[in-house]
Amino acid sequence: EASEIALPPGSGLTVLITPGTPALPVKPCYIISSKRHLTTLTIRSGEKVVFSFNCQDPEKHFVIEIQKNIDCMSGPCPFGEVPLQPSTSVLPTLNRTFVWDVKAHKSIGLELQFSAPRLRQVGPGVSCPDGVTYNISGRIDAAVVRIGTFCSNGTVSRIKMQEGVKMALHLPWFHKRNVSGFSIANRSSIKRLCIIESVFEGEGSATLMSANYPDGFPEDELMTWQFVVPPHLRASVSFLHFNVSNCEKKEERVEYYIPGSTTNPEVFKLGDKQPGNMAGNFNLSLQGCDQDAQNPGILRLQFQVLVQHPQNESNKIYVVDLSNEQAMSLTIEPRPIRLSRKFVPGCFVCLESRTCSTNLTLTSGSKHKISFLCDNLTRLWINAEKTISCADQRYCHKRSYSLQVPGDILQLPVQLHDFSWKLLVPKDRLSLALVPAQKLQQHTPEKVCNTSFSYLVASTVPGQDLYFGSFCPGGSIRQIQVKQNVSVTLRTFAPGFQQEASRRGLTVSFIPYFKEEGVFTVTPDTKSKVYLRSPNWDRGLPSLTSVSWNITVPTGQVACLTFLKERTGVVCQTGRAFMIIQEQRTKAEEIFSLEDEVLPKPSFHHHSFWVNISNCSPVSGKQLDLFFWVLLTPRTIDLTVIVSVIVGGGALLLVTLGLIICLVKKKKKKMSKGPAVGVYNGNVNTQMPMQPKKCQKGRKDSDSHVYAVIDDTMVYGHLLQDSNGSFLQPEVDTYRPFQGPTGDCLPSPPLTGSRAPTAKLATDQLAPRFPAESESEPYTFSHPNSGNTDLPLLDTHKPSEPEE
């Protein structure tokens, strides 16, 4: 189909048809004019050309550009609505660009007025949804300055420039638009590069950019944005991205003309918090400087204006008094949210009700007044951090600090997300002890924390990746001791955590230095499993790290220790990984190689005990992870023990009667030999029936030290009188219990530097002798037939039943 384009003489029009950029290699297509095959075609003012294409889809091969030059320096400017010339109805169906190049004196201002829909500025290279794009440029002497790229459906209603303007309107080949959508008006000189007017009729936002963005703003130029905002709405400004240049003279800045301000214009640096919560119209201007010729740098700015209804919170002032705090900072910031194409009212935090931003950081030592400009305060949260350090060991030793959130933070209408305390101690001089207001539970996959808050404990030693775990109230851990610097983070999961004030709170104390990375003191509750897991359980315990659990077993209770896996999974590259289980009362201990051996079967413990693990340098991917639980149950007396006691008691009674008869006869015959004052009873059973060499009783718990005593002065007192009628007083030995200290110190681990195998007793070997200092008593006799009465190691395969 042939097309005909005729351009009137003196119209200043030029039409260019040039090859486009095909997406894929296609069959060549040519312009046919006057029987010639052409790849380009130029039609000037006063010419008439008929042409066609030798392909069915010329829009994939060619583009058309219509240029119109308007000279306002030599004659009057054609002000008013700008038509599309020639009409789109006579143009071939190609992607088309209309370009208007208007030249004017510096003293003449030109104003581009855009009818509805208004324009929306976008970054370079961004495509408009409908394909209709405006590119607007200005002039500074001979240089062309890019004002910006714009799409439809925005807030920009007018752009004022001086010294000329160049406007390009891009229309896709399928678009039926036949109007330019703008007009040109004559204005007086604006004495700056340009003025962009942005009109808001309701809530909304606009993103705008400095001239030449993302390239540099022209040196020592001034650019202004005018915002028209209904008086019942509030506007806030946020700088999304900016850079400053190196100035020799003047200073780069932004200036605001704000209605009602007594200090207009208000001047801000680009790095300052920008004004917010502004009612009505206002202006914003960007002023450049004289740049350093050798190293000019670059000035550029991208910012957002958000207009929304005022919120109730915007009129309420909150005082956050941090004047008595030290080494503390608090940040109010947006929660991470998914981006949406719909308009979302902004959330701003305002300092002194005027300086507003999407996030605000407050520091200790001052009193702050803040307000909120936000439709939904749940979109914000608070993160705070405080450092508690000890520089002088003599001053800090045994001092305690309460880890509490200041009340001024809790009274804010924004949820506290994290409050972290960084606890610092002198290296190798002091350690830390954390004591909760209520015993803690360790969060594990088997027993998760369902509370509204938790404590996260992690090492802050440089180069050490050690996370002790997440803990919540309602468990059995009554103390956590750590070797070096740690952070303790209170993390909340629901606004209602403030109602759990009685359960919230930690006390940190500086204690004497110890070499283990961590010690957990656990006091289980009866008939409730306590799940415990080694630190860094998801990544494995760090190399050459030692951790212990101090398990308290109350009187009258038995603790069942159970490991949930047969093996820890560790494979050592150097050193050895091992575990020690030590009874605190008897010092009896078992040592297990965590690399070679299967973890012990469930075992019962009548007294408090230690569980200690020490790691080697493991192979990558073969890390140490220990998981176990402890369950307390009341002690019970075995029926066989009861029967044994009855049988033993009967035998004792028969023996006693026999002795009485014998002694009576012997006394009658031999009055001169003195009285027999006592007989040792060796028939008391010190072993549980059917349990040889297993969980033997200590001598204090057994009856091996008991005397069967006959008080002859009561039975045969008349035979003990001397010649004067007075009674002879026999010497009687007495039992005195041992009153010395009982040990509860941490078990000493074996050396880790050797690859020599750890010796372990077989089940049929006799146990080594362990001194039971706290169990020893004077004046006792060992039973000749009872075998070895020393305490053996705990059985590693079959659990011993509870005994009394």
Side-chain angles (χ1 to χ4, degrees):
E1 182 181 351
S3 298
E4 179 181 306
I5 296 178
L7 303 180
S11 62
L13 290 172
T14 302
V15 175
L16 299 174
I17 300 177
T18 58
T21 304
L24 296 172
V26 292
K27 184 179 180 180
C29 182
Y30 295 97
I31 306 169
I32 301 175
S33 177
S34 301
K35 298 182 180 181
R36 293 180 301 166
H37 287 66
L38 308 172
T39 58
T40 62
L41 178 63
T42 301
I43 306 172
R44 293 178 174 83
S45 177
E47 295 181 351
K48 178 180 177 181
V49 177
V50 178
F51 61 92
S52 62
F53 301 95
N54 70 344
C55 59
Q56 298 297 322
D57 51 358
E59 69 276 2
K60 295 182 179 180
H61 301 266
F62 297 96
V63 295
I64 185 170
E65 182 175 302
I66 302 95
Q67 300 175 352
K68 182 173 179 63
N69 296 318
I70 302 175
D71 188 358
C72 296
M73 300 179 69
S74 58
C77 283
F79 297 119
E81 186 173 349
V82 177
L84 293 183
Q85 292 179 314
S87 173
T88 56
S89 60
V90 302
L91 297 177
T93 55
L94 304 177
N95 292 332
R96 63 205 72 159
T97 301
F98 291 88
V99 179
W100 296 270
D101 191 353
V102 183
K103 297 179 181 180
H105 290 285
K106 289 185 178 181
S107 59
I108 297 178
L110 298 176
E111 179 179 280
L112 303 180
Q113 300 176 347
F114 300 94
S115 56
R118 301 185 179 99
L119 303 186
R120 172 175 58 90
Q121 187 172 6
V122 297
V126 176
S127 299
C128 297
D130 59 358
V132 178
T133 305
Y134 291 87
N135 285 323
I136 303 174
S137 301
R139 280 194 179 86
I140 301 177
D141 297 327
V144 176
V145 179
R146 190 173 64 252
I147 302 300
T149 302
F150 300 84
C151 301
S152 303
N153 299 320
T155 61
V156 175
S157 60
R158 293 188 294 177
I159 298 178
K160 303 175 186 178
M161 288 175 286
Q162 65 183 29
E163 202 176 345
V165 60
K166 187 174 184 178
M167 161 76 82
L169 171 62
H170 303 278
L171 297 175
W173 65 270
F174 53 83
H175 208 284
K176 304 302 181 182
R177 181 169 179 166
N178 56 9
V179 295
S180 65
F182 74 97
S183 60
I184 300 178
N186 184 20
R187 292 292 181 265
S188 60
S189 174
I190 59 175
K191 296 180 171 54
R192 61 199 69 204
L193 176 62
C194 71
I195 300 174
I196 297 177
E197 181 184 75
S198 183
V199 178
F200 292 87
E201 295 179 350
E203 289 189 318
S205 65
T207 300
L208 297 162
M209 285 151 268
S210 58
N212 282 343
Y213 190 89
D215 297 327
F217 187 69
E219 182 178 6
D220 195 24
E221 280 295 332
L222 177 64
M223 181 175 181
T224 298
W225 293 265
Q226 293 179 336
F227 297 97
V228 180
V229 180
H232 66 281
L233 299 179
R234 299 292 183 268
S236 299
V237 177
S238 300
F239 285 3
L240 305 179
H241 181 78
F242 68 89
N243 291 92
V244 295
S245 56
N246 299 316
C247 298
E248 282 189 344
K249 296 180 181 179
K250 302 180 183 178
E251 185 178 13
E252 294 169 341
R253 63 191 183 274
V254 287
E255 298 178 354
Y256 291 85
Y257 183 87
I258 302 173
S261 174
T262 58
T263 58
N264 282 324
E266 294 191 17
V267 179
F268 293 82
K269 295 181 179 180
L270 275 72
D272 294 340
K273 297 292 184 181
Q274 303 303 309
N277 203 21
M278 295 177 287
N281 305 338
F282 70 98
N283 295 350
L284 184 158
S285 297
L286 174 64
Q287 175 66 64
C289 67
D290 292 333
Q291 298 175 350
D292 185 348
Q294 301 298 324
N295 184 21
I298 184 173
L299 171 62
R300 57 186 173 188
L301 172 64
Q302 182 187 41
F303 65 97
Q304 183 186 61
V305 176
L306 185 64
V307 175
Q308 58 192 12
H309 288 286
Q311 308 301 318
N312 294 332
E313 293 294 338
S314 64
N315 299 321
K316 187 173 181 179
I317 304 298
Y318 294 90
V319 177
V320 181
D321 188 359
L322 304 180
S323 56
N324 295 325
E325 298 289 342
Q326 295 180 349
M328 176 180 166
S329 65
L330 177 151
T331 301
I332 305 173
E333 57 190 350
R335 295 172 182 261
I337 59 172
R338 293 182 179 179
L339 297 178
S340 173
R341 292 182 177 271
K342 297 181 180 179
F343 168 71
V344 179
C347 267
F348 291 92
V349 190
C350 303
L351 189 62
E352 304 293 342
S353 299
R354 174 52 60 85
T355 304
C356 301
S357 61
T358 54
N359 57 73
L360 177 66
T361 298
L362 307 178
T363 56
S364 56
S366 300
K367 182 183 292 187
H368 310 273
K369 295 181 180 180
I370 65 173
S371 61
F372 298 92
L373 182 61
C374 184
D375 67 320
N376 183 3
L377 289 175
T378 61
R379 294 168 55 194
L380 299 174
W381 63 17
I382 299 174
N383 291 301
E385 182 179 285
K386 181 175 182 177
T387 300
I388 299 176
S389 60
C390 171
D392 189 343
Q393 175 186 356
R394 297 167 298 177
Y395 174 77
C396 303
H397 182 52
K398 295 185 179 180
R399 290 182 65 90
S400 298
Y401 298 88
S402 179
L403 305 185
Q404 293 284 354
V405 180
D408 280 1
I409 298 178
L410 297 178
Q411 57 95 24
L412 293 175
V414 178
Q415 181 184 343
L416 175 66
H417 176 234
D418 279 355
F419 196 109
S420 298
W421 291 272
K422 296 182 69 174
L423 309 176
L424 310 179
V425 294
K427 186 178 180 181
D428 300 337
R429 293 181 178 272
L430 290 177
S431 294
L432 296 161
L434 303 172
V435 179
Q438 189 177 83
K439 289 190 296 183
L440 300 176
Q441 168 198 326
Q442 185 177 12
H443 176 87
T444 63
E446 289 71 18
K447 190 169 184 180
V448 299
C449 286
N450 292 319
T451 54
S452 60
F453 68 94
S454 289
Y455 290 102
L456 283 62
V457 183
S459 171
T460 58
V461 176
Q464 185 181 50
D465 179 20
L466 181 58
Y467 175 62
F468 289 96
S470 175
F471 306 89
C472 59
S476 300
I477 300 174
R478 60 183 175 89
Q479 182 173 261
I480 301 174
Q481 295 171 279
V482 292
K483 172 183 172 182
Q484 298 184 78
N485 302 342
V486 294
S487 69
V488 178
T489 300
L490 169 66
R491 175 162 294 174
T492 69
F493 305 102
F497 90 99
Q498 297 189 32
Q499 278 67 50
E500 299 186 73
S502 61
R503 308 178 70 190
R504 191 177 69 247
L506 275 177
T507 300
V508 59
S509 302
F510 296 96
I511 60 175
Y513 175 76
F514 59 89
K515 293 185 177 181
E516 293 227 283
E517 293 298 337
V519 178
F520 299 86
T521 302
V522 183
T523 303
D525 295 326
T526 306
K527 295 185 178 180
S528 177
K529 284 184 180 180
V530 180
Y531 288 89
L532 299 168
R533 201 153 194 174
S534 54
N536 272 25
W537 60 268
D538 55 339
R539 302 185 301 276
L541 193 67
S543 300
L544 307 178
T545 299
S546 180
V547 180
S548 290
W549 292 265
N550 181 3
I551 314 294
T552 301
V553 181
T555 304
Q557 301 288 323
V558 175
C560 178
L561 172 64
T562 303
F563 296 92
L564 274 74
K565 297 191 303 183
E566 286 191 352
R567 297 182 181 273
T568 63
V570 66
V571 176
C572 294
Q573 186 172 9
T574 59
R576 296 193 66 83
F578 54 86
M579 176 176 65
I580 301 175
I581 301 177
Q582 184 192 73
E583 294 280 354
Q584 295 182 17
R585 184 172 179 182
T586 65
K587 302 299 182 183
E589 66 182 23
E590 289 181 289
I591 302 177
F592 301 90
S593 171
L594 297 179
E595 183 181 13
D596 305 323
E597 300 180 30
V598 175
L599 290 174
K601 297 298 177 82
S603 58
F604 294 96
H605 301 265
H606 294 75
H607 306 290
S608 301
F609 61 97
W610 289 99
V611 176
N612 167 269
I613 57 172
S614 296
N615 199 11
C616 58
S617 293
V619 176
S620 177
K622 302 293 183 179
Q623 306 294 326
L624 172 56
D625 172 25
L626 186 69
F627 189 24
F628 62 95
W629 55 258
V630 179
L631 176 64
L632 287 185
T633 55
R635 288 194 191 184
T636 57
I637 301 178
D638 198 308
L639 181 62
T640 57
V641 176
I642 297 175
V643 174
S644 300
V645 171
I646 294 174
V647 173
L652 178 62
L653 179 60
L654 293 176
V655 172
T656 303
L657 291 176
L659 287 174
I660 291 173
I661 295 171
C662 293
L663 286 173
V664 169
K665 294 180 180 180
K666 198 170 184 180
K667 290 287 184 176
K668 291 180 180 180
K669 293 180 180 180
K670 298 183 180 180
M671 296 290 295
S672 61
K673 291 187 178 181
V677 297
V679 177
Y680 170 68
N681 182 359
N683 293 324
V684 176
N685 183 12
T686 62
Q687 292 280 343
M688 285 183 59
M690 308 303 294
Q691 297 289 336
K693 299 184 182 178
K694 283 190 177 181
C695 296
Q696 298 178 1
K697 297 182 180 180
R699 285 176 291 171
K700 187 173 179 180
D701 295 329
S702 70
D703 297 322
S704 61
H705 60 291
V706 176
Y707 294 87
V709 179
I710 304 172
D711 192 346
D712 291 349
T713 60
M714 300 298 294
V715 181
Y716 303 109
H718 63 287
L719 301 176
L720 300 177
Q721 291 179 335
D722 58 10
S723 59
N724 297 325
S726 61
F727 288 96
L728 297 174
Q729 299 297 331
E731 294 183 3
V732 182
D733 202 356
T734 60
Y735 167 74
R736 300 187 203 44
F738 177 65
Q739 302 296 335
T742 59
D744 59 354
C745 60
L746 193 65
S748 299
L751 298 177
T752 61
S754 172
R755 287 288 294 175
T758 304
K760 183 174 184 293
L761 296 177
T763 54
D764 57 349
Q765 283 183 289
L766 291 178
R769 303 179 63 89
F770 293 93
E773 183 180 9
S774 61
E775 303 266 340
S776 63
E777 292 133 6
Y779 309 110
T780 58
F781 296 86
S782 61
H783 187 260
N785 300 320
S786 62
N788 185 9
T789 59
D790 293 332
L791 291 175
L793 299 181
L794 295 178
D795 196 309
T796 61
H797 298 287
K798 296 181 180 179
S800 302
E801 293 298 327
E803 63 179 32
E804 183 63 29

